[in-house]
Amino acid sequence: MNTTQNLLNSFLIIYFYKIENELNTTKNGLETIKFQSEEANTDEHLKKYFQEFLLKHNDLSDVKLKKLSVKIDSEEHTIDIENLQSYKIINVLLPEQLSVEQKKSITESKKSVYTSPDLYLKITDGTNIYFESVELKSTKENNIPGSSVQQVSPFEWVIFVKRDNEKVLVTTGFYINSITEKLPFPDRSPRPQIGFKTLLEWNKKYRKVENEVLTIENITEINNNKIKLLTDWQDFLATEWLEIIKSEESRNSEKWFNNAIRKFALKFLDYTDKLTESDKQNLKSNLTKLIK
């Protein structure tokens, strides 16, 4: 990663930490936001709220930190916050405000069909212009279905809002750190589960402030396990289903399809019991060949 990208990422780490704290420690009006639009959970009003909020709180001028330390496994990189003071968010675009060129750029960055980001940040360092997409998620409980595996950008920023009758809480971070490592049975394109609490707990464990230094720790192994869920979700589900078959007792509140998996396993065992060793090898070879 080049120096320019490092500086931009450092700015965003500090920036999202800043707005999270601002939102959770001050009266901000989030509790008055209408979270549904015409019976559909589109978060339309929430997007407009954050469009205004991010433009109003668009730099690091009021951040009470001196340094950022980023740890990646055994490596550590430190930067003075003073070196990030030239960065500023100069526009926040909603999906309907994106140009054709911007949509094309987003598609290329995600390597998938075009999907509109909830918010699209236009950032300057005083000389150059950068763009950053942001996912906006909200929930009344904790876990919700995330984006489909084809659309997920693991290191895209997410603002996660949890609301109940008493208060509204906000946590921010990389999308990957909100993934719970649970993949509900897919009815169409798989949508790995994400959780407000998952991101909140990641921040508590791997994001700390001490002596005016914000330290972020990234563990490659943890990231790789979640990325595997996104890149080889079929293997992830197959492993989970195998554990269901191997289990010697059922659990409370089981998924509706667990018994269907057990019944399939019984049928498959009955079928393979009648096969010769040669037939079993042919079946295994054919199944392997058909996997795409």
Side-chain angles (χ1 to χ4, degrees):
M1 189 179 294
N2 59 41
T3 303
T4 301
Q5 189 63 46
N6 272 331
L7 287 171
L8 176 62
N9 288 341
S10 297
F11 164 73
L12 291 168
I13 289 171
I14 297 291
Y15 178 75
F16 280 106
Y17 172 80
K18 164 197 162 173
I19 65 162
E20 177 182 322
N21 279 277
E22 177 78 17
L23 289 163
N24 288 330
T25 58
T26 63
K27 289 188 176 181
N28 50 61
L30 261 177
E31 70 282 356
T32 67
I33 297 299
K34 182 180 179 183
F35 281 86
Q36 291 185 335
S37 177
E38 297 180 356
E39 307 277 323
N41 190 17
T42 62
D43 287 342
E44 173 188 348
H45 300 282
L46 197 60
K47 290 175 187 176
K48 291 181 178 177
Y49 172 90
F50 274 102
Q51 181 185 42
E52 295 178 5
F53 183 88
L54 299 185
L55 282 172
K56 185 177 180 181
H57 305 79
N58 66 340
D59 58 25
L60 304 182
S61 58
D62 55 348
V63 170
K64 295 179 174 61
L65 295 168
K66 290 183 178 179
K67 294 181 182 293
L68 168 67
S69 175
V70 178
K71 296 181 179 179
I72 303 176
D73 298 329
S74 60
E75 293 185 15
E76 183 174 1
H77 304 276
T78 303
I79 187 170
D80 291 333
I81 304 301
E82 183 178 332
N83 295 334
L84 305 173
Q85 292 295 346
S86 61
Y87 283 79
K88 180 181 296 187
I89 294 172
I90 56 177
N91 204 357
V92 179
L93 301 171
L94 300 180
E96 61 271 19
Q97 297 173 323
L98 297 176
S99 67
V100 174
E101 291 77 13
Q102 288 167 337
K103 291 179 180 179
K104 181 180 178 182
S105 176
I106 292 167
T107 301
E108 291 172 351
S109 69
K110 291 197 171 190
K111 299 180 181 178
S112 67
V113 296
Y114 174 74
T115 52
S116 300
D118 294 320
L119 302 169
Y120 201 50
L121 309 184
K122 184 177 182 180
I123 305 166
T124 183
D125 60 5
T127 303
N128 304 297
I129 297 294
Y130 313 95
F131 290 93
E132 194 78 20
S133 60
V134 178
E135 281 284 303
L136 187 57
K137 300 294 185 184
S138 66
T139 179
K140 289 182 178 179
E141 303 297 333
N142 179 42
N143 298 331
I144 59 174
S147 304
S148 68
V149 289
Q150 295 93 337
Q151 298 170 356
V152 170
S153 296
F155 297 99
E156 184 174 28
W157 285 95
V158 61
I159 301 173
F160 215 139
V161 180
K162 185 176 184 293
R163 62 197 191 278
D164 56 34
N165 294 330
E166 297 180 359
K167 58 185 177 181
V168 178
L169 290 175
V170 175
T171 190
T172 64
F174 286 142
Y175 191 98
I176 192 172
N177 295 326
S178 70
I179 296 176
T180 66
E181 296 190 70
K182 291 186 178 180
L183 186 62
F185 190 89
D187 56 348
R188 290 168 293 180
S189 181
R191 300 177 66 189
Q193 187 183 81
I194 60 175
F196 177 89
K197 186 177 179 182
T198 302
L199 182 54
L200 190 69
E201 290 301 318
W202 189 95
N203 284 335
K204 286 181 180 179
K205 188 172 183 179
Y206 298 110
R207 188 185 69 180
K208 302 181 185 301
V209 174
E210 188 174 354
N211 298 324
E212 297 183 309
V213 177
L214 173 62
T215 300
I216 302 288
E217 186 175 2
N218 281 309
I219 310 297
T220 300
E221 183 179 356
I222 296 174
N223 289 340
N224 286 345
N225 288 339
K226 294 190 176 185
I227 288 173
K228 183 180 179 182
L229 184 154
L230 302 175
T231 57
D232 197 356
W233 58 269
Q234 293 171 332
D235 185 75
F236 186 93
L237 282 178
T239 301
E240 184 178 89
W241 296 344
L242 182 61
E243 291 303 313
I244 293 169
I245 294 170
K246 289 163 59 178
S247 177
E248 296 182 0
E249 57 184 29
S250 62
R251 301 175 182 176
N252 295 330
S253 303
E254 282 204 330
K255 297 174 181 177
W256 64 267
F257 54 82
N258 283 14
N259 280 336
I261 292 171
R262 294 183 180 108
K263 288 184 177 183
F264 167 77
L266 288 171
K267 289 180 182 292
F268 186 73
L269 289 171
D270 287 342
Y271 171 70
T272 55
D273 279 345
K274 300 171 185 176
L275 299 178
T276 66
E277 285 302 316
S278 176
D279 289 336
K280 289 179 182 178
Q281 287 301 319
N282 288 336
L283 175 61
K284 186 174 182 180
S285 296
N286 191 49
L287 288 172
T288 302
K289 180 177 66 177
L290 293 173
I291 292 174
K292 297 179 180 179

